[in-house]
Amino acid sequence: MKQSLPKSKQFAFAIGQLGWSTLMGIIGAYLVYVYTPPQEAGIPLRIPIIAIFGFLSVIGLVTMLGRFIDAITDPWIATLSDRSKHPKGRRISFMSKGAIPLALFTVLVFWSPVDDISEWNVAWLTVTLLAFYIFYTMYVTPYFALISELGHTPEERLNLSTYISLTFIVGTAIASAAPVIWGALEGFGIEKLLAIRLSVTILAVFALICMYVPIWAINEREYSDSKPSDMSMWNSIRGAFSNRDFVIFACSDLVYFLALTTFTTGMIYYITVLLQQPESLNSVIVAALAVSSLIFYPLVNWGAKKWGKKPLLLVAFSIFFIIYFLPLVMGDKLPIEPTLQAYIMVALFALPMAIFGILPNAVVADIAEYDKKVTGVPKEAMFFGARTFMQKLGQMLAMLVFGSALLLGNEVGNDLGIRITGPIAAFFCLIGLILMSLYNEKKIIGKDTASVDSSKQTVAK
C-alpha cells in the first residue's frame, strides 16, 4: 500500500473542488436568470420565451441538451482515465487538460453575441454550454476517482469527502457573491449586463488557479497504488451497474439532484420575486447557508463514523422533503418579514446540506473499493463517472422541469410557475428517501460478512 496522503496535500486536493464548484455555481445560479430574467432584473431578454409542444421552454431545452451531453461523456472520460498509462498518473493528466477550457467556456456562456432576443444567442448558448460540460467532465470525473485512490481506508475517504465538501460549500458561496461584484461594478457606471460578464470573468480566473493547485501539489504516482484497467467502456459500465447497491444509491442520487437543482435554480427567483428583495440578498443567503452548514460538518463526520452514512442520508432526505414546500407560502402569504423568511430557510437547510455535502462521495468510494475487492478489477473512475452520469441526468431533468414551470408565471403578481417548483422538488425527494432505504451499507463496508462472501462466490462462478 502507498503512503497516506499528508494533511497539507489533502487540503491541496480539496482546493481543486473550490475551483470547479465556483464555476458550476455560476452556471447553476445565473445561467437561467441572465438569459430569461424577470422584468425587475433590468437585463435585456436575449432568447425567445415560447412554449415548444405547449410545455417546453427554449432555455429548458438548451440546458437539458447540455446536461445530456455532459452525462453521456462521463462513461467515456471515465474509461479513458481508468485505462490511461500516462507517466504523471491516470487522473491528474486529465485534470490538467480540462481546467483551462472549463474556465474559458464558463465565461463565454455569458458573452452572447446579440444583446437582444436572437436565434444567434440560442446557438451561442448551445455551443458554449456543451463545451463547458465536456471539459467539466474531463476535470471532475478523474478528480472524484482520486478519492478512492488517495484514501486507503474508509476513514481516510470520509475525511477527504469532508474536506472537498467544505470547499464545495465555499465555492458555491463565492459564486453567489457575483451579484455583489456586479453591483459594485455598476457603481462605477458600468452597464449591468457588462458588469455581470466581468464578474463571471473575475471569478473564473480565481477558479482556474484553484483547479491547478492539486495538479501542482500532488504526485499521483507517489500516493496512489491504482493500476490501469483493461476493460472496455461497455464492460466497465455493465460492471458498475451490475452492483445492486450502486444502482440503488445512484438512482437515489439522481432524484436528489433533480430536487435540489430545481430548488436552487429557483433561489434567486424566490428572493427577487416571491420575497421581492434585491439580488444581493441571494449572495448573503448562500454565504449564510455555507457558514451555518459548516457548523454541522464535525457532527456529520462523527455521526457517520458512529452510526453509518445511510441513517444520516435518510434524515437529510426527510428534512429536505419538508423544506421544499416553502415556496408555496413564501412572501406575503406568511406573516413574517421577508428577509427573516429567507434566513429561516437557511437555518432549515444547514444540516441536510452538510450531510449531502460530505457523505455521497464517501459512499461511492466505499462501493468502488468493495467492488474492487469482490471482482479484482479496479474501475474507480467508472463508478464516479456512472454516479455523475445519474447526477447530471437529474440536473438535466431539473432544468427542463424548472424552465417549463416558469411558463406558468415568473414575475411579481404572476408567480405560480415559481411557487410550484417547491412541491415538485419535494415529490422527487420522497422518491429518493424510499430508494435510499434499500441501500445495504453493512455489506458494502464489510460488516455483513455473509453478504460479502456470497458476492465473492457469485463473481467466482
Side-chain angles (χ1 to χ4, degrees):
M1 179 184 291
K2 297 281 188 176
Q3 61 178 306
S4 295
L5 195 67
K7 285 285 186 183
S8 60
K9 294 188 182 295
Q10 291 182 33
F11 295 145
F13 176 72
I15 293 298
Q17 179 139 316
L18 175 61
W20 70 255
S21 66
T22 299
L23 299 180
M24 182 53 74
I26 292 169
I27 296 294
Y30 308 117
L31 172 63
V32 176
Y33 184 74
V34 169
Y35 274 90
T36 58
Q39 290 183 349
E40 297 78 18
I43 306 170
L45 187 65
R46 286 176 293 146
I47 63 174
I49 297 184
I50 57 175
I52 302 172
F53 304 123
F55 68 97
L56 298 176
S57 66
V58 173
I59 190 70
L61 284 174
V62 172
T63 52
M64 183 184 72
L65 177 61
R67 278 300 186 181
F68 177 74
I69 296 298
D70 180 28
I72 63 175
T73 55
D74 274 322
W76 175 54
I77 296 294
T79 300
L80 292 177
S81 180
D82 277 342
R83 294 168 63 93
S84 174
K85 298 178 182 178
H86 196 282
K88 290 186 178 181
R90 54 184 188 159
R91 313 305 184 194
I92 293 292
S93 59
F94 276 83
M95 292 162 56
S96 63
K97 293 173 184 175
I100 292 176
L102 174 57
L104 175 63
F105 280 103
T106 302
V107 174
L108 291 179
V109 161
F110 292 90
W111 286 79
S112 55
V114 183
D115 290 340
D116 201 351
I117 297 176
S118 170
E119 290 77 8
W120 286 109
N121 289 339
V122 177
W124 177 274
L125 176 59
T126 301
V127 172
T128 55
L129 191 60
L130 293 184
F132 167 86
Y133 281 123
I134 289 171
F135 291 108
Y136 170 80
T137 300
M138 186 177 290
Y139 187 93
V140 172
T141 296
Y143 178 87
F144 278 141
L146 280 173
I147 299 174
S148 292
E149 297 168 1
L150 299 178
H152 304 308
T153 66
E155 289 73 22
E156 289 180 2
R157 293 191 290 271
L158 178 60
N159 287 337
L160 280 175
S161 295
T162 301
Y163 300 147
I164 68 172
S165 175
L166 168 62
T167 52
F168 180 85
I169 289 288
V170 175
T172 303
I174 290 172
S176 75
V180 175
I181 299 173
W182 78 56
L185 292 175
E186 285 183 274
F188 288 100
I190 298 176
E191 182 266 332
K192 184 170 185 177
L193 184 57
L194 178 59
I196 291 173
R197 290 167 170 170
L198 292 175
S199 301
V200 170
T201 304
I202 292 168
L203 292 176
V205 171
F206 163 79
L208 177 61
I209 295 171
C210 291
M211 286 191 291
Y212 264 96
V213 169
I215 297 170
W216 292 327
I218 298 174
N219 183 338
E220 184 182 339
R221 295 293 189 189
E222 185 177 351
Y223 299 102
S224 173
D225 197 26
S226 63
K227 297 178 176 59
S229 168
D230 58 1
M231 293 184 72
S232 69
M233 182 176 75
W234 295 113
N235 285 338
S236 224
I237 292 172
R238 279 196 297 268
F241 282 99
S242 66
N243 186 310
R244 175 183 179 275
D245 289 286
F246 175 72
V247 172
I248 289 171
F249 175 77
C251 288
S252 75
D253 212 36
L254 182 154
V255 290
Y256 162 70
F257 274 98
L258 204 170
L260 182 68
T261 305
T262 299
F263 194 86
T264 55
T265 303
M267 189 73 75
I268 196 165
Y269 289 89
Y270 304 153
I271 297 295
T272 59
V273 178
L274 300 186
L275 299 181
Q276 299 183 41
Q277 299 299 301
E279 295 166 343
S280 57
L281 180 61
N282 186 62
S283 304
V284 177
I285 291 303
V286 175
L289 176 59
V291 173
S292 60
S293 180
L294 294 180
I295 295 172
F296 290 100
Y297 271 46
L299 178 62
V300 172
N301 190 288
W302 172 80
K305 293 173 182 176
K306 183 175 178 62
W307 296 304
K309 305 174 188 71
K310 175 182 174 178
L312 296 185
L313 288 167
L314 291 175
V315 168
F317 265 125
S318 301
I319 297 173
F320 272 137
F321 174 73
I322 297 171
I323 296 173
Y324 287 154
F325 282 99
L326 280 177
L328 274 181
V329 295
M330 288 178 74
D332 56 11
K333 296 180 183 298
L334 284 178
I336 302 173
E337 196 271 328
T339 304
L340 181 57
Q341 291 184 40
Y343 285 112
I344 290 173
M345 181 172 61
V346 166
L348 295 173
F349 250 82
L351 176 58
M353 283 297 289
I355 292 172
F356 268 102
I358 294 173
L359 300 186
N361 285 320
V363 169
V364 177
D366 288 344
I367 293 172
E369 184 65 20
Y370 165 83
D371 188 83
K372 183 169 68 173
K373 290 178 180 177
V374 171
T375 66
V377 180
K379 45 183 182 288
E380 295 87 352
M382 181 53 70
F383 274 106
F384 279 97
R387 184 249 171 161
T388 52
F389 168 82
M390 300 294 278
Q391 168 188 328
K392 292 166 186 176
L393 182 59
Q395 292 169 328
M396 174 187 76
L397 294 172
M399 298 306 288
L400 179 63
V401 168
F402 188 86
S404 299
L406 289 187
L407 295 173
L408 298 177
N410 71 333
E411 57 192 31
V412 176
N414 181 27
D415 57 18
L416 177 61
I418 298 172
R419 290 192 183 278
I420 65 171
T421 57
I424 290 172
F427 169 75
F428 291 118
C429 196
L430 178 61
I431 296 174
L433 174 65
I434 295 170
L435 288 169
M436 192 64 213
S437 67
L438 304 176
Y439 171 65
N440 189 346
E441 183 178 30
K442 291 183 178 179
K443 180 183 76 173
I444 294 300
I445 62 176
K447 292 185 177 181
D448 185 350
T449 55
S451 295
V452 175
D453 292 340
S454 174
S455 296
K456 289 182 177 179
Q457 290 171 8
T458 300
V459 171
K461 291 177 182 178

